[in-house]
Amino acid sequence: MLQRFTSLFPIWAIVLSGIALLYPGIFLPYKDAIPFLLGLVMFGMGMTLALEDFLLVFKRPKAVVIGTVLQYALMPLIGFVIARTLSLSPELTAGVVLLGCCPGGTASNVICYLAKGDVALSIVLTSVSTLISFIMTPLLTWLYIGQTIDVDMHGMLVSILQIVIVPVALGIGINTVFASRIDTVRHSFPAISVLTIVFIIAIIMALNRETVISAGILIVVAVILHNLLGLASGYGLSRLMGLNEMEARTIGIEVGMQNSGLSVALAIKHFTAVAALPGALFSIWHNISGSFVASYWAERNISE
């Protein structure tokens, strides 16, 4: 039942988003809880990892390096170009670029499994990009939009340490030390993460009700393009660099699916509620597109 609930994530996100747009007052009182809620999601991610999972970095460094580099090279650039091309407002531009500067999302691991990709590689890529995000995300955000909007690099770095690194490290530590004792509850963490992310999305929709109504189509187009170009370029460039089909699928999914919850939390804290909108919409869309990509690839045999 929990797996079924988790697989219907896009449906729950759309339903709660609709409720938030119609009755924003339900969710507005919880806007200050977003960093804590995301920290809970990151703790859940850490609870599914062990130190042994990172050995793949040394066993297959080429795939890990290529995937990580493409993650941080492609998505910020694609987001910046899309925002400029569509002439988005400074706040929405900041949100799209910030989204592109975030690490890979945990949902990519599930999509990778469904697409017959390399799940071990996906987990390592998500983990590595997450662990270096406290440097890469503030730095890249400042490089792309620091000339047009104030970017608090130090404050963003501290926020990522508090929201991401500490909860993930704590989760890994608990899972490593008490692995056998938490087997019975570990399977519940994906469902808890889905429920938490859906609630975060609803809060953002409530905060941005007027913006969604007035600029909805434009920002939806930006989010869809950002995700699809990330998926396609991540896969295509991986193949051009000599990686096999399974590795290329994995990196394509990893690059195209961002940790949109982190972008939402950082946007709320360091920019504006409007800047959090791209991340909230991305949370819904990339799970929908990811499901279609997984279905398409799952029906096709892996070839070198």
Side-chain angles (χ1 to χ4, degrees), residues 76-290:
L77 177 60
I78 292 172
F80 179 77
V81 171
I82 289 173
R84 285 299 182 90
T85 301
L86 297 179
S87 300
L88 298 182
S89 68
E91 292 85 359
L92 288 176
T93 296
V96 172
V97 171
L98 176 59
L99 174 65
C101 296
C102 285
T106 54
S108 63
N109 307 148
V110 178
I111 297 300
C112 178
Y113 169 74
L114 297 175
K116 295 183 178 179
D118 190 327
V119 179
L121 176 61
S122 177
I123 291 172
V124 169
L125 287 173
T126 301
S127 303
V128 170
S129 67
T130 298
L131 292 176
I132 66 173
S133 64
F134 77 98
I135 295 175
M136 298 304 296
T137 299
L139 176 61
L140 289 171
T141 303
W142 175 77
L143 287 174
Y144 276 98
I145 61 173
Q147 306 304 313
T148 57
I149 191 169
D150 184 40
V151 177
D152 181 8
M153 284 186 62
H154 178 264
M156 198 175 291
L157 185 151
V158 172
S159 294
I160 295 174
L161 285 172
Q162 294 173 338
I163 297 171
V164 177
I165 306 302
V166 171
V168 169
L170 183 60
I172 292 174
I174 292 175
N175 187 40
T176 301
V177 176
F178 304 104
S180 60
R181 300 182 185 181
I182 61 174
D183 281 341
T184 56
V185 298
R186 188 186 287 108
H187 68 280
S188 64
F189 277 98
I192 294 173
S193 294
V194 164
L195 186 62
T196 305
I197 292 173
V198 166
F199 191 65
I200 291 174
I201 293 171
I203 297 172
I204 297 304
M205 288 298 174
L207 288 169
N208 290 284
R209 183 176 183 273
E210 300 304 322
T211 304
V212 171
I213 294 173
S214 61
I217 295 178
L218 197 61
I219 191 58
V220 167
V221 169
V223 165
I224 291 175
L225 285 175
H226 199 181
N227 169 242
L228 295 183
L229 289 173
L231 289 168
S233 57
Y235 171 81
L237 288 174
S238 295
R239 289 296 275 164
L240 287 174
M241 293 179 184
L243 297 184
N244 63 41
E245 176 70 17
M246 183 178 287
E247 291 170 332
R249 290 184 183 187
T250 303
I251 291 175
I253 292 169
E254 196 66 30
V255 170
M257 299 187 71
Q258 298 294 90
N259 188 335
S260 46
L262 177 59
S263 77
V264 165
L266 292 177
I268 286 289
K269 187 172 181 63
H270 299 286
F271 296 113
T272 64
V274 173
L277 183 57
L281 294 174
F282 200 95
S283 291
I284 302 172
W285 169 253
H286 79 166
N287 283 279
I288 296 173
S289 66

